[in-house]
Amino acid sequence: MQDHKQEMAGTIPQLHSLPVGEKPSSPPSTPTIDEDAELKTSATETTNLLEQHHEKFKNKYTEDGYILESKDEMDSEALHSAYQPDTQNGGVRKQRSQSQLSLLEEEMDQYNTKRKESPLVNFKMTERTKNYLVLTKIAILFAAFITIIVFFSINEEVEGHHDVLAVSESLPYFYEFTDLHESTDPILKFNIHGPLDKEFESNSIYNLNFTLFISNWSGTQIPVKTMSLPLREAEPDTNTEEWIEYTSRIDLPQVSDPNSTYGMLFETSVPDLVTFNFDYNTQPKSSELDVLIGLIILVLVYVLIGFELVHRTVAAMLGAFAVLAVMSAFNERPTLEGVMAMIDYETLALLWGMMTIVGIFSETGFFEWCALQSYKIAKGKVWTLITLLCVFAGVVSAFLDNVTTILLLTPVTISLCEVLHLDPRHVLIAEVIFSNIGGTATAVGDPPNVIIISNSDIQDAGITFTKFTLHMAIGIVFCMIAGYFLLRVLYRNKKLRLQDTPEITALKQEIEVWRRSAVSIMVVSREESTVKALLMQKVHQLETALHNLEYEEKEAEENTDGWVEIFNAMKSKYQIRDKTLLIKCGCVLTVTILMFFASSFLKNISLNIGWIAVIASLVLLIIADVEDFESIMHRVEWATLLFFAALFILMEGLTELGLIDFIGNLVAELIKDVDEQHRLTVAIVLILWVSALASSFIDNIPFTTAMVPIIISLSENEELDLPLEPLVWSLAFGACLGGNGTLIGASANVVCAGLAQQHGYPFTFIAFTMVGFPMMLGTTFVAMIYLLICHSALEWNS
């Protein structure tokens, strides 16, 4: 019996536990066991050994995997489950069983990762408290959503009172409100859409005047309020695309006569007919707080996304429904067709088309082959690879839309990181940041630039594609250089390599499977005891192999001279799998990119980039003869597409509530209050930083759309005497660079996060913001210095 025990002790190695999260620093001295080694003990001897083990560790394991050795320790653990006292100061003494080593390390790795990314670093709670908080969160969100649905449902869909009116100097028009006397709402909101001047408060000899009247039972008309809007020119413009919309509210006076009616008299000083659109509706008194309510909704959406209380798509959908509910409470509930019109289908079509192309492209093995070639160029050096990827992303994004660039580069980057055992999340965050920076350089690199350069007033001012690129590209070069050094500073303490290689991760998972199988066996018979002992032996064997593998990986990390051997070893694994499909995909993708460029310059091509992407994806589906269509569709990030749709509705609703216009008008008022000598400097700084900060927290597309008329009106104001060009450059720098501030600041960020999550490497809102926001501040500061030197000091203006 004693001989058998000694033989078993030599068969099952005794492992020495390592500090949590550390790799072994010396070669393991534990013996190895052959894969098919048998346990040379009888069933009786095995049962006695197990009984001794259970007698020694007969108390229960704690939640975190420790074994308590006495009842006092168990009582202490129950009272202090969220606090682990120091064993040297009389705390609870605990020890690990060897079969839990792999599980402990895996759990601690996950815990440390979450701990670093969590804003509540030092906060610990019991499992019961966590369950209570989860239930509380669900109850609050459910109650809030029910309230939203109630407000959304109480009012009917409003198509509004829309009329087309025409007046001239000799032909005024009196518009009678037939339903205002029946309304209990005290505010009249109206919109005038016509050939108005962008500067509503400017003085002009050609104006559109309108006065609100109350007509009593005797026919007497009592004026309530008179307003005036400057017209664009003496000869009215019939091109509706150039029309400007003006929105205002008037408090309706209370009248006691039920027969009283309201009307509005329109007059103008223009001899010819002036045509414009007029619509109105009544609103409650609370509608005056629409900007504040919109800001609160935006903040709450960011809280849901930032603290990951719900998925970002769910948060955006809740925010969109909240905005629609507020609009419904203000008697502005849009129809279902109106809600669908808020969505930018061109962006969704671009994303779906390119995701489909990339999904088919990934079947060729091209991305893995590119990753291997990048490894060869970098010769195994991590920062050389990151530099190459960031520069490549920035340069390509300058000539190709950065969303498309990220769709193409993300699979390559993830494959490359998996080959080199790097953490793809850190590399992807750096890559998308430099993609946004590089996209700022040209007029087609980022959506805000496309909005700016496509405006007819900006084009009439002589700002062409070439001039835009010249002024922006020089500044972006400085921004990329400064951003690269700032990235090195931000990443100086980050572990860019994965804590575990795929082999180690797989081995730990296998250990956990064997361990759980051993624990799940209830020992009743001798046969069960034998099986359990064999399973425990297998666990010890795998832990020994894990110890050996960790040591070998550490030695390989410290020795980068053997990259050639690693490259040759992986060369046979990462090859092109389908050359015919690769040729088809390459031809379609090349033509698609050329069409993207051509659509920006050739006016006779009536296809936007969304249509081009959809057509290209359908062509590839045909010529590639895809049979398993469902597998391709599984690679499309539907959650990302739905997030964008909800985000478009949210931002359009905030625009309807006046939040976007409020920010723009506030900037204009601040610029007007500055002395003439410093007005240009203040205008550059204000527009740049307000655009950057606003674009970090709201989508930069609606913000840019609202700001373009404001900067044009500032430049056309003769009292301010501001050149248009530096205002355009400031808006472009701020809106594009500001997209790096947060995860939802730019479309490319969301696309990258969705693809990373699909590949099993999700990064959180906080993780992105911790890198992106400092990068946004640094690059925006460099852009400010560049603009002030060139346009405020050197006066590089046309």
Side-chain angles (χ1 to χ4, degrees):
M1 178 71 69
Q2 187 67 26
D3 294 338
H4 284 298
K5 290 184 179 181
Q6 292 176 355
E7 187 174 4
M8 181 179 179
T11 304
I12 303 180
Q14 300 298 316
L15 299 179
H16 301 282
S17 60
L18 299 172
V20 175
E22 290 187 8
K23 304 288 186 182
S25 58
S26 60
S29 57
T30 54
T32 59
I33 304 175
D34 295 335
E35 187 73 21
D36 300 327
E38 297 181 0
L39 184 66
K40 298 179 180 179
T41 54
S42 63
T44 304
E45 295 167 340
T46 302
T47 303
N48 294 335
L49 289 174
L50 289 174
E51 289 177 355
Q52 294 175 10
H53 176 80
H54 292 316
E55 181 66 26
K56 183 177 181 181
F57 302 110
K58 62 183 178 181
N59 295 314
K60 297 181 179 180
Y61 294 105
T62 62
E63 272 188 358
D64 54 356
Y66 288 100
I67 299 175
L68 303 179
E69 295 188 345
S70 68
K71 187 176 184 304
D72 294 335
E73 291 175 354
M74 293 182 64
D75 296 337
S76 177
E77 174 69 12
L79 292 173
H80 305 283
S81 59
Y83 171 70
Q84 296 180 5
D86 187 358
T87 56
Q88 295 180 355
N89 297 327
V92 180
R93 183 167 62 90
K94 306 171 182 179
Q95 68 181 27
R96 290 278 176 187
S97 68
Q98 294 175 356
S99 62
Q100 293 173 310
L101 291 177
S102 59
L103 178 62
L104 169 61
E105 185 172 348
E106 182 178 356
E107 290 175 343
M108 290 305 297
D109 286 344
Q110 296 175 358
Y111 170 78
N112 290 331
T113 302
K114 293 180 180 179
R115 187 176 184 272
K116 293 176 182 177
E117 296 176 350
S118 173
L120 306 175
V121 174
N122 296 318
F123 183 74
K124 298 179 181 179
M125 62 183 70
T126 62
E127 194 66 28
R128 178 177 295 180
T129 304
K130 291 180 181 179
N131 293 334
Y132 284 150
L133 290 178
V134 170
L135 293 176
T136 303
K137 178 197 73 174
I138 294 174
I140 293 175
L141 290 178
F142 180 76
F145 186 67
I146 293 298
T147 305
I148 290 172
I149 295 302
V150 170
F151 276 98
F152 182 75
S153 306
I154 56 177
N155 291 320
E156 297 180 354
E157 295 178 347
V158 177
E159 296 186 1
H161 303 81
H162 302 282
D163 293 283
V164 180
L165 308 179
V167 297
S168 65
E169 186 178 15
S170 59
L171 186 63
Y173 186 87
F174 185 81
Y175 187 91
E176 183 176 359
F177 300 103
T178 58
D179 56 348
L180 288 188
H181 64 281
E182 300 176 356
S183 175
T184 58
D185 296 321
I187 294 178
L188 171 66
K189 179 182 178 180
F190 63 92
N191 300 304
I192 297 177
H193 187 215
L196 305 175
D197 192 284
K198 300 177 183 65
E199 190 66 31
F200 294 133
E201 298 179 359
S202 62
N203 297 322
S204 176
I205 59 175
Y206 302 107
N207 298 313
L208 177 63
N209 306 313
F210 46 97
T211 305
L212 179 67
F213 287 92
I214 295 180
S215 300
N216 56 23
W217 64 274
S218 62
T220 304
Q221 293 183 341
I222 304 173
V224 176
K225 186 175 182 179
T226 300
M227 303 179 69
S228 180
L229 292 175
L231 293 173
R232 192 166 195 169
E233 50 193 10
E235 297 182 1
D237 189 3
T238 58
N239 184 10
T240 57
E241 295 181 358
E242 305 295 330
W243 283 8
I244 302 298
E245 184 174 2
Y246 174 78
T247 303
S248 183
R249 290 185 175 90
I250 297 178
D251 291 332
L252 297 175
Q254 297 181 353
V255 292
S256 56
D257 188 358
N259 297 320
S260 297
T261 59
Y262 294 91
M264 185 170 286
L265 178 64
F266 293 93
E267 300 173 301
T268 183
S269 56
V270 179
D272 298 325
L273 282 176
V274 178
T275 305
F276 58 93
N277 296 327
F278 177 75
D279 63 87
Y280 71 93
N281 68 298
T282 58
Q283 294 186 339
K285 190 69 175 177
S286 58
S287 63
E288 296 178 346
L289 302 175
D290 52 358
V291 174
L292 178 61
I293 295 174
L295 180 62
I296 292 174
I297 292 175
L298 183 63
V299 171
L300 292 178
V301 170
Y302 264 85
V303 169
L304 292 177
I305 297 177
F307 289 93
E308 297 184 329
L309 299 178
V310 294
H311 192 275
R312 60 176 177 270
T313 303
V314 178
M317 295 175 67
L318 290 175
F321 252 108
V323 168
L324 294 177
V326 173
M327 294 175 63
S328 177
F330 293 167
N331 297 329
E332 292 182 323
R333 176 184 168 182
T335 62
L336 181 59
E337 293 78 8
V339 174
M340 300 304 292
M342 297 178 179
I343 300 174
D344 186 355
Y345 290 101
E346 180 180 352
T347 301
L348 296 184
L350 170 66
L351 292 174
W352 181 86
M354 295 307 297
M355 286 178 179
T356 303
I357 293 175
V358 171
I360 300 174
F361 212 156
S362 62
E363 297 290 334
T364 64
F366 177 76
F367 296 139
E368 292 82 356
W369 181 84
C370 288
L372 190 60
Q373 300 307 311
S374 301
Y375 177 75
K376 180 181 179 181
I377 295 174
K379 297 181 179 180
K381 297 178 181 178
V382 175
W383 269 106
T384 303
L385 275 172
I386 295 177
T387 304
L388 288 174
L389 291 173
C390 291
V391 172
F392 184 77
V395 173
V396 173
S397 296
F399 302 98
L400 189 65
D401 180 77
N402 55 4
V403 173
T404 306
T405 303
I406 291 302
L407 281 169
L408 296 175
L409 286 183
T410 298
V412 179
T413 303
I414 293 177
S415 299
L416 175 60
C417 292
E418 289 176 344
V419 169
L420 300 180
H421 307 316
L422 298 178
D423 191 341
R425 294 169 294 184
H426 300 312
V427 182
L428 288 174
I429 290 174
E431 191 172 83
V432 73
I433 287 174
F434 275 84
S435 175
N436 291 329
I437 296 174
T440 313
T442 64
V444 296
D446 217 2
N449 292 353
V450 178
I451 295 172
I452 293 172
I453 199 65
S454 61
N455 184 272
S456 59
D457 290 322
I458 292 179
Q459 292 176 355
D460 294 339
I463 300 178
T464 62
F465 180 89
T466 304
K467 179 180 288 187
F468 187 96
T469 302
L470 176 63
H471 283 262
M472 298 293 294
I474 297 175
I476 286 302
V477 171
F478 294 111
C479 290
M480 291 192 72
I481 295 173
Y484 176 76
F485 287 106
L486 181 58
L487 182 70
R488 293 295 296 259
V489 174
L490 294 173
Y491 275 13
R492 67 188 185 277
N493 294 325
K494 287 187 179 292
K495 293 182 178 179
L496 299 179
R497 292 191 179 274
L498 290 171
Q499 293 183 354
D500 291 331
T501 63
E503 292 80 5
I504 291 179
T505 302
L507 189 55
K508 286 186 175 182
Q509 293 174 352
E510 185 179 356
I511 291 175
E512 175 62 13
V513 171
W514 285 96
R515 189 192 68 83
R516 289 183 181 275
S517 300
V519 172
S520 63
I521 295 178
M522 299 296 295
V523 178
V524 178
S525 63
R526 294 182 178 181
E527 290 76 11
E528 291 172 338
S529 299
T530 304
V531 172
K532 186 167 187 177
L534 288 171
L535 294 175
M536 293 291 292
Q537 179 189 14
K538 184 66 175 180
V539 170
H540 292 311
Q541 173 190 353
L542 293 176
E543 285 176 346
T544 302
L546 175 64
H547 190 71
N548 295 335
L549 187 58
E550 285 179 337
Y551 176 78
E552 293 173 359
E553 290 294 338
K554 182 182 178 182
E555 291 294 320
E557 290 178 6
E558 295 176 352
N559 181 19
T560 59
D561 297 333
W563 70 270
V564 176
E565 290 76 8
I566 299 176
F567 173 80
N568 292 329
M570 294 186 299
K571 191 174 181 179
S572 59
K573 181 179 179 182
Y574 299 104
Q575 293 182 345
I576 302 299
R577 296 190 294 269
D578 192 336
K579 294 183 179 181
T580 303
L581 182 59
L582 175 62
I583 295 174
K584 296 177 181 179
C585 293
C587 293
V588 171
L589 188 59
T590 301
V591 174
T592 303
I593 294 174
L594 291 176
M595 289 296 294
F596 285 162
F597 282 112
S599 64
S600 303
F601 302 102
L602 301 180
K603 301 299 181 182
N604 56 348
I605 298 180
S606 301
L607 294 175
N608 56 38
I609 59 176
W611 276 116
I612 294 173
V614 171
I615 293 173
S617 63
L618 292 177
V619 169
L620 185 57
L621 285 171
I622 294 173
I623 65 176
D625 193 20
V626 176
E627 297 180 357
D628 191 3
F629 182 76
E630 289 78 8
S631 65
I632 300 298
M633 290 299 99
H634 286 161
R635 300 191 180 190
V636 175
E637 271 295 309
W638 297 105
T640 300
L641 297 179
L642 187 58
F643 171 77
F644 272 112
L647 186 64
F648 287 137
I649 297 174
L650 172 62
M651 292 304 166
E652 187 65 26
L654 294 178
T655 302
E656 292 292 331
L657 294 179
L659 178 61
I660 309 297
D661 291 333
F662 173 79
I663 297 174
N665 295 329
L666 180 62
V667 174
E669 292 298 326
L670 291 175
I671 293 175
K672 293 177 182 178
D673 295 336
V674 179
D675 296 336
E676 183 179 356
Q677 182 180 359
H678 306 290
R679 189 168 291 158
L680 179 59
T681 301
V682 174
I684 291 174
V685 174
L686 268 180
I687 294 176
L688 176 67
W689 281 104
V690 171
S691 301
L693 294 174
S695 297
S696 295
F697 297 96
I698 60 178
D699 189 54
N700 51 17
I701 295 177
F703 178 79
T704 305
T705 305
M707 283 295 295
V708 167
I710 291 175
I711 63 172
I712 293 175
S713 64
L714 290 175
S715 65
E716 293 178 350
N717 192 321
E718 296 180 356
E719 296 180 2
L720 298 179
D721 192 25
L722 293 174
L724 177 61
E725 289 186 6
L727 304 184
V728 170
W729 317 142
S730 300
L731 177 60
F733 272 115
C736 296
L737 296 179
N740 285 329
T742 63
L743 183 60
I744 64 175
S747 303
N749 304 351
V750 181
V751 172
C752 184
L755 292 176
Q757 185 173 12
Q758 186 184 48
H759 286 79
Y761 300 102
F763 51 84
T764 63
F765 179 92
I766 297 297
F768 184 92
T769 305
M770 293 295 290
V771 179
F773 201 80
M775 288 288 290
M776 182 273 294
L777 295 178
T779 53
T780 304
F781 179 79
V782 174
M784 180 187 70
I785 299 300
Y786 165 75
L787 290 172
L788 292 178
I789 292 175
C790 293
H791 301 284
S792 185
L794 302 179
E795 298 183 357
W796 185 20
N797 308 316
S798 299

